Amino acid sequence: MRLLHLRRLHTSFLRRSYATKYSGRVVVETDNGRSFAVEVKTPILHSDVRGYPLPRRDLICKATQILQSKSSTSSVEPFLDLSEYLQTLNPTLTTSEASEILKSLKSTNLALNFFQFCPSQIPNFRHDAFTYNRILLILFKSSLPDRIDRVKEIINQMEKLRNRGNISTVNILIGTFDGVDELEKCLELVKKWDLKMNSYTYKCLLQAYLRAKSSSKAMNVYKEMRKRGYNLDIFAYNMLLDALAKDEKVDQANNMFEDMKRKHCEPDEYTYTILIRMLGRSGKANEAVALFEEMLSKGCKPKQMAYNTMLEALAKSRMVDRALLLFSKMVENNCRPNEFSYSLILNVLAAEGQLGRLDEVVEISNKYMNKSIYAYLVRTLSKFGHASEAHRLFCNMWSFHDKGDRDAYLSMLESLCNAGKISEAIDLLNKMHEKEITTDTFMYNAVFSALGKTKQISHLHDLYEKMKQIGPSPDIFTYNILISSFGRAGRVDDAVRIFEELETSHCTPDIVSYNSLINCLGKNGDLDEAHVKFKEMQERGLNPDVVTYSTLIECFGKTEKVEMAYRLFDEMLAEGCSPNIVTYNILLDCLEKSGRTAEAVDLYTKLKQQGLTPDSITYAILERLQSGSHQKVRIRRQHPITGWVVSPLG
């Protein structure tokens, strides 16, 4: 029995010709011979199958432990401990062992220090391709900001010491560098070191040229590969096709696609998607459709990206019916549309004036319509000014979902306000709580602003009173909108009352608050009070801006207080507040109407010196200065100040 078992073991060893062979002897055996124990001698292996000395694992572990220890027994510097340890070895450290130690170190800087330590501190140690490749690979994978410079230093060191790299060295360098010039230097090393590029090297080089956005260089590499009989995999083909497509090299991409199929490399979904996108953006929608159908015939099941790419091609060519048909196929094949899918459909419907078919889109994708998709559609329609369609879709969302989406409700509110549908906006604001949406100050401010612009003061007043009763609390923007709105409608008392409420609230009046009140007071005849507020503003440490000064200058000008207007202008300059073209136009108009022509001409000269560009209002005022305010018939003539030929306004 024992003999039979040993024969089986011997047969097993013979079958595993590449396994390590062991020898041993029987040391324990039972009386019946059914079980025994064997003492096995550990084989002593000095080299691997290639003849290289095998690294000593205990040495590698010990050296790594010394270098990565935070403190050493005999020294604070781990390299001193390592040097003492290596002196006890016979033979000394080999390059393969140094390479393994480099691989084991977790710190890139520590690995670099060890790399420099070996030739400087270990007698007769000389780096070879193994160690150079290891340190280059470590730098390639590192996040050091100067890793490229470090790699170049290593290569320069190799050149200086006349150390020759191998093809793996070149492969690592190609993967590290991005620029075309640096890649050319890699090819120079191939010639200098008398190396032969293999299939992997060519693939690395092709990808590197694509990273450097040089599709022409990549194409040259591809041609060289084909010439040498090397084949690309699907990943490399797709990268090259994508680069050609982005460079709009349509013919080259099509030729490569056909060559790809001839070389028995089957295109996948990404291949077709790249080409469909290229054709779609070139306006060749029918060719894109043909490719999409070919993809289906090959058994590819399109995913979201492929459907969206095809939808984009159809949308660009404004093929509404085909786009909707493809969209329905997408849903039918259980491929969920995303926001980009819907945006493509919205764009083509809007471009063709068929937004009314949006209900058809919603019906097609009914099983995927949720609150977030409704919200996205409402936001998008609102953003592009399609308030009616957005509101109709919003009403559908309101009916089907108990809880609302705040962003969608806010977009709808702003859209209604911008479209002048104020009553609908107020109604929405009042009903938001039904969908568990808490109204905030920003929402109220949007409606206040719309009411103010349309001068619906009674609604503005009522909504503000309601806000004070049930919340939320007004903020500085609320008060500023109200002051401006009441002022625009000539309701001076209400504007002053709101300003007083602002002063007693938790908010503090800012420059906009004062500007709005000064404008309201000045333009409604209470110029003295406007000037008082101007002084009060300065006393509170608020520096008047160009709007403040321009407003007061205009108010003084309209009441024929030209001297006061000019004094304010000079004060404005003295305070370092630069007038804009509006300020100059206001003062020019004031001077022209009061007959102070010479001062108006001087002011125009100052305007030009400030580097401001006159606008149509400026030239209209200058034309009045030229023709005279009392002249009934105005004749076209060259302006003596500007040299322009201007048309009369009368």
Side-chain angles (χ1 to χ4, degrees), residues 492-538:
V492 180
D493 292 341
D494 288 325
V496 172
R497 176 176 56 83
I498 296 297
F499 188 86
E500 290 171 351
E501 287 185 20
L502 166 59
E503 290 184 302
T504 58
S505 72
H506 65 281
C507 301
T508 303
D510 60 10
I511 193 167
V512 177
S513 315
Y514 274 102
N515 284 350
S516 299
L517 186 60
I518 288 169
N519 185 62
C520 169
L521 293 167
K523 291 185 177 178
N524 286 282
D526 199 346
L527 192 53
D528 291 338
E529 186 62 24
H531 197 242
V532 168
K533 289 298 177 184
F534 174 73
K535 292 297 182 182
E536 179 185 303
M537 173 185 180
Q538 291 176 310

Side-chain angles (χ1 to χ4, degrees), residues 311-329:
L311 279 173
E312 187 177 21
L314 295 172
K316 183 177 176 61
S317 296
R318 297 192 174 188
M319 297 181 174
V320 178
D321 292 333
R322 276 194 166 183
L324 290 179
L325 178 61
L326 181 66
F327 184 77
S328 68
K329 290 291 183 184

Side-chain angles (χ1 to χ4, degrees), residues 46 85 128 143 236 290 294 334 369 488 568 619:
H46 298 286
Y85 169 68
D128 61 9
S143 57
E294 179 183 320
N334 297 316
M369 289 299 296
R488 192 182 295 117
L568 274 172
Y619 287 119

